[in-house]
Amino acid sequence: MTKLKYAKAIIGSCALVAGAGLAQASPHHVLGRLASPQKLFHTAKLTAATTISGYRLISANGTVYTHGGDRFFGDAHTLSLAEPIVGSAPTPDGLGYWLVASDGGIFSYGDAAFYGSTGAMRLNKPIVGMASTPDGKGYWLVASDGGIFSFGDAAFYGSTGAMTLNKPIVGMASTPDGKGYWLVASDGGIFSFGDAAFHGSTGAMTLNKPIVGMASTPDGKGYWLVASDGGIFSFGDAAFHGSTGAIKLNKPIVGMQATPTGAGYWLVASDGGIFSFGDASYYGSQGGSQLTSPIIGINTSNQTVATASGATGFDVSNFQCASTASPATGTFAIIEVNGWPFSATNPCITKEASWAGNNYQLYTFLALPISGNTSNPTWNPSTPTTDYSVGPKSTTDIASQAYNYGYNAAKYSYAAASSQGATSNIWWIDVEGATNYWSQIPSLNVAAIQGAADYLSSTGVVVGLYSGNAGMYAQITTGTTSGAGAIIAGAKGGPIPLWFYSASGSAACTATTNPSGNLNPFAGGIPWYIQSQLPNGMDVDYSC
């Protein structure tokens, strides 16, 4: 493969090698080719409007019900559980969650990593809840006697395991910095550890109903306790926004969740009924539906960077620069930044972003200009050594150089977007064109892709992969088209989000294979968007 720098006509994510007369087949389509560089459409700094809200309801048999913008990443309802699910916690970015059973068995989904469990231990008392650390790299489990079990980067700050309690512990909450936590008993007694300050309790009060859960304010200077009748007790800087204490409920309240601002909260009942107060929006409930198991809790995230499931959008590149109006369909856009590593920057990102009301994400095309085979890999002559000889990896071996190349290519693209005032908290790496754009050494290709993913993750964004299908991706990363290709680690090492083409449209979100028989999911990832086509040739994208 010869890299002809600046001598490529990048067609969406498909490139035509100058002089070769051969285009790599791609699901990306062209709606008009640029004959000359376009005017830059500079505007005020843009921020992708992809922060949305929602919640997940968790049942005792491990079923997860999603409402609003919070995504579904899997659940445990098809498993034979030794003990029922009693608690859950989301990852900080909203792209995963843990479920915990009463024996301390942990079930991880999305980007929630497994750091250990008490599933194989003999416990004095059952687990009743959990909380995660601020970076999502650890969690605490709490038992009904207040025993604390710490995993990952969750530090142990103390417990009530050796104390005689008046009432059992029913829940916990961690402080914003993760250097402390509160435990709450069913009488509302509060036990503070680490930097968790005591702001008051109901331990000395006569309650109409027992306390079933708690939530802390965003700054950790207060907390709410909720009783099974929905009575709310506010302490510290936690404001009272309402309760169901005076309402006759069909089923008891089993948990609560505060909004990211702390200016509201949701209560959830065991039948899945949702009660929202303050700035907590109502996104639906399971109330009135036939449940196979009672709801035991609710979780949501301080930030959700995913487009709501079921949304329809479009993807565009420099070849739509000449268009004067937004595509007819879609509430979000996925926009090309670079159509080739270190060059071919889309000059009208901000214009195209405005077509979707600035609700957009960004993608960059990646390739690896290495020729030869495993015994004689050689960088193509036109590749500047600075593309691969500097970076986080040692340059003594070509695999490290390939990693640096991907890392630097993503860094270049990120800066190119920033130069036009474009930012997004979701970035996609376009991986396609096995015979034209990549080396014939799969391990080097994987190193370059991981390098690009690692750079983007280091900026704090969520990074995903695009490819036409699993077979195309597998050819690049493993040398075969029959599998799902090499695994690429996403943020925090969790499963990477996927965006791929399927004529089946949104049905491919859950289908194992597409109509041609190719696998759908690849790279160990989770489908987020399915690309398809409208009759007018425009790429349409369906949010899973």
Side-chain angles (χ1 to χ4, degrees):
M1 168 176 98
T2 301
K3 176 182 174 185
L4 301 179
K5 199 167 187 180
Y6 306 112
K8 286 187 174 289
I10 307 299
I11 303 179
S13 300
C14 157
L16 180 66
V17 180
L22 176 65
Q24 170 71 22
S26 168
H28 285 289
H29 280 250
V30 182
L31 293 188
R33 176 171 174 168
L34 288 178
S36 59
Q38 301 296 298
K39 176 182 177 182
L40 293 178
F41 294 86
H42 283 287
T43 64
K45 184 178 176 67
L46 300 173
T47 301
T50 52
T51 299
I52 55 179
S53 186
Y55 39 75
R56 304 180 186 96
L57 310 185
I58 316 300
S59 76
N61 71 354
T63 302
V64 175
Y65 303 93
T66 58
H67 295 276
D70 273 359
R71 283 179 175 263
F72 176 79
F73 296 109
D75 65 20
H77 82 276
T78 60
L79 304 177
S80 296
L81 300 176
E83 298 293 341
I85 299 298
V86 294
S88 71
T91 54
D93 60 11
L95 304 179
Y97 42 83
W98 298 273
L99 308 183
V100 61
S102 64
D103 61 357
I106 291 288
F107 304 87
S108 306
Y109 301 95
D111 68 357
F114 177 79
Y115 297 108
S117 76
T118 63
M121 295 172 58
R122 183 183 177 121
L123 302 175
N124 293 327
K125 293 292 181 179
I127 299 297
V128 293
M130 72 180 302
S132 74
T133 56
D135 62 5
K137 295 181 179 179
Y139 43 75
W140 298 272
L141 309 184
V142 61
S144 64
D145 61 356
I148 291 289
F149 304 88
S150 306
F151 299 95
D153 66 355
F156 177 79
Y157 297 107
S159 76
T160 63
M163 297 171 59
T164 299
L165 303 176
N166 293 327
K167 294 291 180 179
I169 299 298
V170 294
M172 73 179 300
S174 63
T175 56
D177 62 5
K179 296 181 179 179
Y181 40 76
W182 299 272
L183 310 184
V184 61
S186 64
D187 61 357
I190 291 289
F191 303 88
S192 307
F193 299 95
D195 66 356
F198 178 79
H199 299 293
S201 77
T202 62
M205 297 172 59
T206 300
L207 302 175
N208 293 327
K209 294 291 181 180
I211 298 299
V212 294
M214 72 178 299
S216 73
T217 56
D219 61 7
K221 295 180 179 179
Y223 42 76
W224 298 271
L225 310 184
V226 61
S228 65
D229 61 357
I232 292 288
F233 303 88
S234 306
F235 299 96
D237 66 356
F240 177 79
H241 300 292
S243 77
T244 62
I247 299 174
K248 184 175 181 179
L249 302 175
N250 293 327
K251 294 291 181 180
I253 298 298
V254 293
M256 75 179 298
Q257 176 74 50
T259 61
T261 63
Y265 40 76
W266 296 276
L267 311 183
V268 62
S270 64
D271 63 354
I274 290 288
F275 304 88
S276 49
F277 300 95
D279 69 352
S281 297
Y282 177 77
Y283 298 108
S285 77
Q286 298 305 124
S289 62
Q290 190 73 32
L291 299 178
T292 57
S293 184
I295 299 299
I296 56 90
I298 179 173
N299 78 49
T300 188
S301 309
N302 288 344
Q303 183 182 26
T304 300
V305 293
T307 305
S309 179
T312 300
F314 53 87
D315 59 90
V316 288
S317 68
N318 59 316
F319 289 96
Q320 283 75 50
C321 281
S323 300
T324 58
S326 166
T329 186
T331 58
F332 68 93
I334 307 178
I335 303 169
E336 174 204 75
V337 177
N338 287 88
W340 191 252
F342 303 98
S343 63
T345 299
N346 179 3
C348 59
I349 297 171
T350 56
K351 172 190 175 183
E352 293 174 347
S354 70
W355 292 347
N358 289 339
N359 186 5
Y360 68 96
Q361 299 161 31
L362 299 170
Y363 80 87
T364 183
F365 182 82
L366 189 61
L368 185 62
I370 292 178
S371 300
N373 53 37
T374 53
S375 62
N376 186 33
T378 305
W379 285 98
N380 289 353
S382 61
T383 308
T385 58
T386 52
D387 291 354
Y388 59 81
S389 62
V390 295
K393 295 276 190 179
S394 164
T395 59
T396 56
D397 64 276
I398 199 163
S400 295
Q401 293 173 1
Y403 178 96
N404 287 346
Y405 184 87
Y407 187 95
N408 290 328
K411 184 176 182 179
Y412 177 95
S413 190
Y414 189 86
S418 298
S419 73
Q420 293 190 50
T423 63
S424 173
N425 45 20
I426 303 177
W427 272 73
W428 299 91
I429 302 169
D430 187 342
V431 177
E432 56 183 305
T435 57
N436 288 344
Y437 314 129
W438 292 88
S439 81
Q440 301 308 301
I441 307 171
S443 62
L444 300 185
N445 297 336
V446 172
I449 296 167
Q450 189 65 65
D454 288 351
Y455 173 76
L456 291 171
S457 292
S458 75
T459 69
V461 307
V462 174
V463 56
L465 290 181
Y466 170 86
S467 198
N469 55 55
M472 179 184 294
Y473 172 81
Q475 186 177 3
I476 294 167
T477 61
T478 60
T480 176
T481 60
S482 60
I487 292 175
I488 298 295
K492 304 185 185 72
I496 199 162
L498 300 178
W499 169 34
F500 55 87
Y501 176 84
S502 176
S504 300
S506 60
C509 287
T510 55
T512 304
T513 59
N514 61 35
S516 65
N518 285 310
L519 294 172
N520 274 337
F522 56 91
I526 299 172
W528 271 33
Y529 296 109
I530 307 301
Q531 181 193 64
S532 197
Q533 293 170 12
L534 297 176
N536 66 1
M538 172 59 67
D539 288 344
V540 61
D541 299 287
Y542 302 101
S543 179
C544 294

